[in-house]
Amino acid sequence: MTDPTDFEKRTQEVLEEGAARLDGRTRSRLTQARHAALAQLEQPVRQWWRKYVPAGAAAAGAVLAVVMWSSPGDRPVASPVEDMDLLADSDAPDFVDDGEDLEFYEWAAGEVET
Amino acid sequence: MTTSRALDQFLSSVEKRAFKIAQFGLRNEDDALDAVQDAMMKLVQSYAARPAGEWRPLFYRILANCIRDVQRRRTVRGRIMAWLPLRDGDDDEEFDAIAQAPSHDAGPAKRLELDEAIGVLETAVAELPPRQQQAFLLRNFEGLDVNETASAMGCSEGSVKTHYFRALENLRAKLGEVF
């Protein structure tokens, strides 16, 4: 980078003097502008969503989520005890009599699995 | 040093020159103050987390955009206002002798010399074509290097050098007798 010429030094000096002569009102407004800009750093990030979601709506959403979660439509998987009850039912048909259809049932079970 | 403190120091170091640069571009004190405030807000909003070394060219790039936005709004407003018969011509230059009175002490002779030099130079800079004015103020006044100036102006380093060279030539032609 080349050294500045005398002309460049002179113009820089004059411009700096012009900036140094700003009146009190302008300096005060610049200070206020700076403080207003820096105040943005004080705003917590976690509250950004509060501008868009009223508190009541947020609470209603939470209640709805709990209700949906505990809906009777979402039954847990049947326990093994219930399976045993079904198998032990005396009215349940006897699927295996003298073994004649055993091969068929084995084949059917294989078809179901695939 | 916290980011807030570092930003405070940075903005404090550039605010006066930024105001003068905006004033050259807009020729109106209130518009210049608005542009500087907008630029400060946007820098802190969007670039506070960037390395401090990047703030200067970023800030002046944002300021240039803010100045351009004001100029465009003026163009639109001027077209609309042209249809209103009752409005007088705008006098954008509000001069208050007391408010504008400088507050520095200097010897009378030196002061007079500087007064004249400031007036002549600022008039000449204000008359430069926008890109020459921008390149000159960023390089000479703010002290950005060619790379930083190119970043702030959104152009190549070659363009910066050309604009700056032409600005100097223009100013020399106008100010040769005074400077």
Side-chain angles (χ1 to χ4, degrees), chain A:
Chain A
M1 186 174 169
T2 57
D3 292 334
T5 62
D6 289 342
F7 181 79
E8 287 171 289
K9 289 179 189 173
R10 176 72 174 148
T11 54
Q12 185 181 31
E13 174 192 316
V14 172
L15 287 172
E16 286 284 354
E17 182 62 25
R21 293 184 180 196
L22 291 180
D23 59 86
R25 170 182 169 267
T26 302
R27 284 199 296 269
S28 174
R29 284 194 59 182
L30 288 171
T31 301
Q32 288 172 26
R34 174 164 36 94
H35 290 167
L38 293 169
Q40 295 175 108
L41 294 174
E42 305 298 323
Q43 294 176 10
V45 175
R46 69 174 182 275
Q47 291 185 356
W48 68 267
W49 59 270
R50 289 185 185 273
K51 297 180 194 175
Y52 307 103
V53 180
V63 169
L64 187 61
V66 170
V67 168
M68 296 279 288
W69 183 258
S70 58
S71 167
D74 285 333
R75 290 187 176 218
V77 175
S79 68
V81 174
E82 290 181 358
D83 291 332
M84 292 299 292
D85 285 340
L86 287 171
L87 289 172
D89 190 350
S90 59
D91 290 333
D94 188 3
F95 289 103
V96 181
D97 47 20
D98 57 359
E100 224 176 85
D101 294 328
L102 186 58
E103 282 186 18
F104 168 77
Y105 291 118
E106 286 177 349
W107 170 85
E111 288 298 305
V112 169
E113 284 174 3
T114 55

Side-chain angles (χ1 to χ4, degrees), chain A residues 7-8 10-12 14-17 20-23 25-27 29-30 33-34 37-38 40-41, chain B residues 8 12 15 19 29-30 33 41 44-45 99-100 103-104 113-115 118 121 140-141 164 172 179:
Chain A
F7 181 79
E8 287 171 289
R10 176 72 174 148
T11 54
Q12 185 181 31
V14 172
L15 287 172
E16 286 284 354
E17 182 62 25
R21 293 184 180 196
L22 291 180
D23 59 86
R25 170 182 169 267
T26 302
R27 284 199 296 269
R29 284 194 59 182
L30 288 171
R34 174 164 36 94
L38 293 169
Q40 295 175 108
L41 294 174
Chain B
D8 187 27
S12 178
E15 62 190 23
F19 168 76
E29 190 173 300
D30 286 333
L33 284 166
M41 296 287 277
V44 173
Q45 240 170 33
Q100 299 287 343
S103 53
H104 283 248
E113 181 192 342
L114 273 174
D115 284 348
I118 290 169
L121 175 59
N140 183 275
F141 187 26
Y164 184 66
R172 264 189 246 267
F179 280 63

